[in-house]
Amino acid sequence: MATNRIESGLYYDAERREMERRDRDMIPRGALFAMLALVLASLGLATYASVTDRTPSGRPAVAEVVDARTFVLEGDGVAVSAVAPDGTVLLDTDNGAFIAVVNDALQRKRVVHDIAGNPPVTLSRLANGRLVLSDPATGWSTELTSFGAGNTRYWYALFEN
């Protein structure tokens, strides 16, 4: 297909130079070196921590269990019920809020580990105020206080019954 464009001239040369400059400057060289330095520094710090057996500093302090409840947690994604082994209903609600979200994560973990049925879980209140939900069947546990005070208050209701 013929074009009316002339291969030489001011406009064609300016466009060609602009495209060459654009193709060359997509990612500035300084940014590439900065990314490389960040990767190498991260790798160096991780290697140093591993070689020197440095203890992880992001873990919460170990605390003793003040109170614990064992119960079966059942739910359908919204409604949730928690029943103690003796048959006492600790929680029965049409809108389980954050408890329903955690129950979904727990059910997913059980599917991954091929756990049949619905074995009980343990909710522990620690001396430093943290709440920990653990599933002995899978070894899964989560720090419930990590999700904020608004979400944690739903779990404190299980200790009131």
Side-chain angles (χ1 to χ4, degrees):
M1 175 177 238
T3 63
N4 293 337
R5 191 176 208 167
I6 299 173
E7 296 279 328
S8 61
L10 184 61
Y11 180 76
Y12 179 77
D13 292 341
E15 184 180 74
R16 182 174 48 93
R17 283 191 305 263
E18 181 64 32
M19 293 302 286
E20 286 176 357
R21 188 177 322 117
R22 187 205 70 158
D23 290 344
R24 194 173 44 242
D25 294 339
M26 289 295 273
I27 300 176
R29 188 170 282 196
L32 286 174
F33 286 130
M35 288 187 286
L36 179 64
L38 182 63
V39 167
L40 292 176
S42 299
L43 186 60
L45 286 172
T47 302
Y48 173 77
S50 178
V51 169
T52 61
D53 288 330
R54 181 183 165 103
T55 58
S57 60
R59 292 185 181 166
V62 177
E64 67 181 52
V65 176
V66 175
D67 193 7
R69 292 283 168 105
T70 299
F71 52 88
V72 174
L73 193 60
E74 298 176 349
D76 63 358
V78 179
V80 175
S81 64
V83 181
D86 64 359
T88 306
V89 176
L90 302 174
L91 177 74
D92 189 20
T93 179
D94 290 334
N95 184 359
F98 182 59
I99 295 176
V101 172
V102 173
N103 184 43
D104 289 344
L106 174 65
Q107 295 306 321
R108 174 67 183 143
K109 194 68 167 176
R110 287 179 174 174
V111 166
V112 168
H113 284 278
D114 199 27
I115 303 296
N118 191 10
V121 294
T122 303
L123 178 65
S124 303
R125 184 175 9 192
L126 305 181
N128 58 5
R130 293 186 349 249
L131 287 178
V132 177
L133 182 71
S134 58
D135 181 22
T138 61
W140 178 79
S141 69
T142 184
E143 295 265 346
L144 299 170
T145 46
S146 299
F147 297 98
N151 289 323
T152 305
R153 69 182 163 93
Y154 294 110
W155 291 96
Y156 276 113
L158 295 170
F159 285 108
E160 295 172 2
N161 295 337

